[in-house]
Each structure stands twice: as structure tokens, then as C-alpha cells.
Amino acid sequence: ATSFPSSPAHGTRVRATGELAAGCFPSSRIIRSPAAAPEEEKCWDRRVHLATSLPLPSERDHLRPRIDLIVFMIDIKSKYSLKNVETSLAYVDASFFLGKVCFLVTGVGRVNACSIEMNAVCKLGETYCSPVIFCELELEGIRASTAQRLLRMLQICAGHIPGVSALSFSLLMRNSNAD
Amino acid sequence: MAEEEAAEDRAVRTLPSLRRLSRALPFGRSYGRLGISSSGRLTVPALCSQESVDPQKTAFALRKAWTLYSVTPLYRFRRGRLRDYARLLSAFIAAEKQKGLAVEVGVELDIKVALSSLAELRGSELDQAALLVQLSSRSRASSRNSEDKLVWSGWFCSIFGDDFSENVPEDFTCLPLFLTHGAESYTSLVGSWFQKTFDCYFRRLAISPLNLSWMVAMWAGCKLDRASAVELVFSMPCLAQPLDISYAIHPEDAKALWDTVQKTPGEITQGEVDVFMDCLYAHFHRHFKIHLSAAKLVKVSTGVASAHCDGIVKILHSQYLPDVLMLLTELAISQIQ
């Protein structure tokens, strides 16, 4: 697992974990793309932690900052990524599933390379009461807009948007997905 | 022939709608909406007139590598006019050759076109009979008695495509699956003529790894006298040099595995296919420490048939020809919709 040195400091952090295809780190592109850094009124610190699976090594528990959002990445081309996410879910504390977890399905532009069944993914989202977001990382525009979505979710999960809680927002997302 | 969608290295420019994603499921009569449908389930219906199928008539389909296309319904296609169509098509081909679209360099060839209806190749009575197009050549230089040489063949068929054809208006003929064997140049000639004449649209039929795993699970479970090995070919992702892994399994072991997995004979669920594939992956991982589930399944071969993700199949066993065609018809229909 790769991680950025997390110094205990003020501010909110996001921990994005997920399965990474060998040789590419898509989540670093999503969270850190400059295009996805919109107007920021407050000074808050975004940290991204990448992990190939859970649980995270316990030696560094005391050094880790608060986790606001967990993004599980599932590659539509890799059955392995789905299995990995399913086993990692067991290590997530139940309180995260109140709006602080989301599933990001990547590679949906290539339907002909699909190795996993869509129903399984959507059922996963339902079972864990978390939204499922679909995106295609190879397309610049969609990558940027997905990054913006995730950042917005992060702001809500960190409590920076008054009047919207993580739980209410996740309910909103799930209801709109069902339409 | 419009094949721009077949390019492997171009992701779709816009995200496909979620509904289309859910319908990209393989064989399953449960085209439900996201989150509501149960896992895909395929029931194998009893085929009509099994006994009366003359193996001679269907022998042409076996042991050839067919390239697959999906075809939208043909407008104002008349079975009675096959001879006229053959004449028009051969005139079209001759005209295209005159224009300079040389299909054969060197020897002057006359292309003869033959269209025929194959009444036996259909699933139910609601299906249209298959349509066979054959291009044969006779060299002008050779003697008059020489045999015509078959240079290209293609056929349209629909096996149990009734869900699709019943929703289609009058005057349209549904033959969603098109299989070709022969030079690509002839395929595009024949395809353009059909597109112009019947206002239909051809598209290469790609087979996703998910669908390939369905095929291998189903075909590995078929009872065969002399079965060849079950082989799966995987392509490793994200490598500088392309690397393929070929995983061969003894046919009896594969069949034994499938028999323990399948609960109801004649019915297959996505869960059963998953278990079957997971067993194969786990076995491979135990020996080689490689997760095949992270690789892309590109080709499957069994004693019944073999299929490649680019949409190329070879059917080896006449007894299972209708079953294989039924799967392919369903794939073609889901690509059209």
C-alpha cells in the first residue's frame, strides 16, 4: 500500500482506498487533478491515502488522521477487483456506512471488456447502503467531473456544507440512482 | 461496412446510460432495471424439429471460423425474390470491381452469387428461416467444366429471437445474427449492398469476458464422446509486452466440476457460472500465484465450440449447433437493443 506521510495536523483528510491495477494509479489522478480543485473558500487540507486492500496496517493507527470518505474502486474489467473490495468491506467499521462510503466503478466506457456483472455491483451498493458511481477514467472530461463529484461528497462528509449531512446526501444519491 | 465501433482502443465518448449497462448482461431473460432484477438465468428451451434437421444441410456451418455481426431488421425483404437479389448483388459486385475496388489481384474472376433459404436453421416457428449467401468464382482462364470455387460465404439467422421479432413492425424481417467466412473485402461488399437495399445496419459483435465465461461454463458441461481439452486464454493487462496465458483443463475434469456446480439441469444462473470460474481461478492461483480474475479472458475453446472476444466463433459439433446459435442470437439482439 502506498500512503502519503500523514503528519498529525489540522484539517480534514480523505482516505481513498481501492484496488489498483498494476502499473497505474487512477485514484491519484482523480483526487489530485488540478482541474478538480474548484473555488476553495476555507483552508482545508485534502489528503489521499491509497491502499490495495484492507485492513490497513495497525502499526500506524495512532498516526492516521480522521477518515472522512472511503472510495472503493472496482474495475469493470477485473473480477479480482470486485472480490478484493468485497473482502475489504468486512474491515470497515459500521459507522462509515452512514454516508461515508461510496463505490466507484471504473472502465464503463468499454462495455465489451466487461468481466463483472453489473447486478452484482448494484447489489453491493444496496447491501452496504452506499452510492455507486460509474465513470471512465480514460476520458479526461469524465475523469474531471467524477473528481469534482467526489470532492463535493468529501466536503459534505467532512461536515463543511451546512445543512447537509453525509447520511442525508447518501440517501439523496441512492434515490436518484433508482430512477 | 461501419466498423468504427470495433476499434479496441477507443473508449466510448460518452458514458453509456446505466440502463444499457444493465442490459449488457449476458443471456438472461431477466432484463430488469438496476438493483431490481435477480441474477441472469438462462433456461434452455426445447428445440423444435430436432430430428428433422438434416446434418448435410448444416454441415457447412461446422469447423469454420465465423466472424460475427449483429444486423438490424431488414426492411421489405421478400423470400420469393432471392434470385433477383442474387442478380442484383452480383451486378453490384461487378460494378464495384469496375470502379477499381479490386478484390483479387491478378487473375480475372467472375463472382457468382447464390442466395438460398435454410428452413431448418431456426429455433421456433416464430423465427425467420436462415438466409445463406455464397460467393463463388470461376476463373475465366480455366476450362468451362471447372468447378466453381467458393470464395466467401455468409449467413443470416435467428434462433429463438422471438422476444425481439415480436416487437418489430410489419414489413421488417428479423435475422439479427450474421456470420461470415472469407475475405474481409467481400464481407464489406455484401454488407454495403444489404445496407443499401434493406436499410439495415451491420455491426461487429464483440463478446465480453463475462459472456465468454458463460459460454465456457455451458459448453464444458456438454456431454461429448471425444472431447478436446477446455482451454481458456487470458491476456495480461498493463504490461509493456503483450502476454497471453493459456489455461487448459482436461474435459472430463471440467465437466465433473460443472456437474457439481449446476443445480437444475436445463437452467443456468450467473451464480453458478461465477462459482465455476472461481474454482478454475483458485486452482490456477494455488499453483502459479497468479490471479487470472484480474486478467482479461479473450478466448475459450471446448469440444463443442470455441469463441474469441473479437467475435469469432468456430462450432465443432453438429448436435450443439442450435444451442450455440441461440446464445449468439441473444448476444446479437442485446447489441442491437
Side-chain angles (χ1 to χ4, degrees), chain A residues 78-150:
Chain A
S78 165
K79 188 93 188 284
Y80 177 68
S81 68
L82 180 62
K83 279 257 156 355
N84 197 9
V85 164
E86 282 171 352
T87 45
S88 296
L89 279 164
Y91 294 99
V92 177
D93 186 67
S95 60
F96 277 97
F97 295 109
L98 297 171
K100 301 202 174 175
V101 168
C102 91
F103 297 99
L104 185 66
V105 180
T106 66
V108 301
R110 296 186 188 277
V111 174
N112 286 333
C114 180
S115 286
I116 62 180
E117 203 214 355
M118 272 310 133
N119 275 342
V121 174
C122 299
K123 219 153 103 180
L124 197 65
E126 276 184 11
T127 313
Y128 287 94
C129 306
S130 299
V132 182
I133 300 175
F134 297 88
C135 77
E136 172 53 76
L137 295 177
E138 292 182 37
L139 297 178
E140 170 81 45
I142 297 175
R143 196 166 68 224
S145 61
T146 308
Q148 285 170 345
R149 278 179 93 175
L150 288 174

Side-chain angles (χ1 to χ4, degrees), chain B residues 183-204:
Chain B
E184 169 63 33
S185 48
Y186 288 124
T187 307
S188 52
L189 278 177
V190 173
S192 344
W193 184 81
F194 270 91
Q195 284 186 162
K196 273 213 300 245
T197 315
F198 302 110
D199 196 27
C200 58
Y201 182 67
F202 290 79
R203 229 176 103 192
R204 264 307 273 273

Side-chain angles (χ1 to χ4, degrees), chain B residues 4-212:
Chain B
E4 53 270 349
E5 321 252 340
E8 188 55 39
D9 32 313
R10 268 178 50 189
V12 172
R13 283 293 148 203
T14 57
L15 282 182
S17 72
L18 295 183
R19 207 166 288 165
R20 177 162 172 239
L21 271 177
S22 72
R23 249 193 243 120
L25 293 178
F27 335 108
R29 306 289 172 174
S30 59
Y31 298 109
R33 298 184 42 186
L34 285 176
I36 303 173
S37 65
S38 57
S39 55
R41 182 181 302 264
L42 175 69
T43 53
V44 184
L47 294 160
C48 83
S49 64
Q50 263 280 46
E51 310 79 31
S52 61
V53 171
D54 182 8
Q56 285 279 35
K57 294 267 174 61
T58 55
F60 78 94
L62 300 178
R63 282 173 289 277
K64 275 206 190 92
W66 297 102
T67 307
L68 303 176
Y69 294 84
S70 66
V71 191
T72 57
L74 306 171
Y75 183 59
R76 292 237 177 110
F77 173 79
R78 302 274 171 258
R79 286 276 162 188
R81 295 191 55 200
L82 291 184
R83 270 219 202 125
D84 293 337
Y85 295 147
R87 231 179 353 96
L88 290 169
L89 179 53
S90 65
F92 176 76
I93 292 175
E96 291 294 313
K97 272 172 60 182
Q98 288 277 350
K99 268 198 247 179
L101 267 78
V103 287
E104 290 270 350
V105 180
V107 181
E108 277 290 310
L109 290 174
D110 277 337
I111 298 293
K112 204 172 73 143
V113 176
L115 260 72
S116 50
S117 242
L118 300 164
E120 310 79 21
L121 272 177
R122 60 162 77 172
S124 66
E125 286 306 316
L126 296 166
D127 284 320
Q128 290 281 338
L131 173 70
L132 176 63
V133 181
Q134 285 173 312
L135 267 53
S136 21
S137 72
R138 179 187 301 161
S139 170
R140 279 192 213 144
S142 65
S143 71
R144 207 169 300 170
N145 295 332
S146 66
E147 287 275 318
D148 287 341
K149 195 176 97 161
L150 184 66
V151 294
W152 183 93
S153 49
W155 47 297
F156 297 81
C157 76
S158 168
I159 311 288
F160 287 110
D162 4 323
D163 302 354
F164 181 54
S165 52
E166 65 196 10
N167 292 333
V168 145
E170 291 286 319
D171 266 357
F172 279 98
T173 307
C174 281
L175 287 164
L177 184 64
F178 183 50
L179 305 92
T180 70
H181 178 81
E184 169 63 33
S185 48
Y186 288 124
T187 307
S188 52
L189 278 177
V190 173
S192 344
W193 184 81
F194 270 91
Q195 284 186 162
K196 273 213 300 245
T197 315
F198 302 110
D199 196 27
C200 58
Y201 182 67
F202 290 79
R203 229 176 103 192
R204 264 307 273 273
L205 184 63
I207 309 178
S208 68
L210 190 57
N211 292 338
L212 285 175

